[in-house]
Amino acid sequence: AGWASEKVMRRLEGGAPRVRYLGYVAEADLPSLTPGSAVFASPSLYAGSVFPVVQAMAGGVPVVTSNISSLPAVTGDPPLLVVPRSVAELRAALERLLLAPSLRGTLAARGRERARQFDWEMCARRSLDFFRRVAGRDRS
């Protein structure tokens, strides 16, 4: 349950409408689970959760995430950004997506396109370029 409060867990386990708490999901199961989601919400307080956001975008799932840390820079234009501690903003963003299939489709398509910029080869190339510049061996 992570940092979830007892109150939240009781609501989820009590059958909150159209919400299903899965608990821990193994990495190997995510590719088949993620694309079936209507929305991926990650109101994170730190940048350590960038990878799941990009995975959701690559899977064609519209994203609601935090407007802090590196998340806006990584996600670019596709997601709906919220103040992570604002229940009202998170609720409004989720309602907006869940009630607007056309917006979900638009954000899903944009997210897929954005996620293409984060393939492993490109990340490795950019990291190597960075380290070469830092080491004074810039070959560009």
Side-chain angles (χ1 to χ4, degrees):
W3 297 342
S5 72
E6 288 183 37
K7 180 180 174 184
V8 170
M9 292 309 297
R10 277 196 306 272
R11 283 187 72 189
L12 289 174
E13 291 166 355
R18 301 192 61 160
V19 173
R20 186 170 171 202
Y21 178 71
L22 301 178
Y24 173 78
V25 176
E27 183 77 23
D29 294 332
L30 289 175
S32 60
L33 181 65
T34 302
S37 302
V39 63
F40 180 84
S42 180
S44 181
L45 298 173
Y46 60 97
S49 61
V50 170
F51 196 65
V53 169
V54 175
Q55 285 178 317
M57 290 179 0
V61 180
V63 170
V64 174
T65 193
S66 301
N67 67 351
I68 61 170
S69 190
S70 62
L71 287 160
V74 169
T75 57
D77 184 40
L80 293 179
L81 299 174
V82 299
V83 173
R85 293 189 188 272
S86 172
V87 173
E89 280 191 32
L90 180 57
R91 179 186 300 121
L94 290 171
E95 284 178 352
R96 186 172 167 208
L97 276 175
L98 292 171
L99 297 175
S102 62
L103 177 60
R104 283 197 314 272
T106 298
L107 294 184
R110 285 191 207 159
R112 273 197 173 115
E113 184 63 33
R114 177 70 176 173
R116 287 189 186 105
Q117 297 178 23
F118 296 99
D119 68 13
W120 287 116
E121 183 179 325
M122 182 179 299
C123 290
R125 190 174 337 109
R126 286 181 178 172
S127 295
L128 181 60
D129 290 346
F130 169 79
F131 290 120
R132 283 181 173 156
R133 283 193 309 275
V134 169
R137 298 180 188 159
D138 189 1
R139 295 184 180 182
S140 49

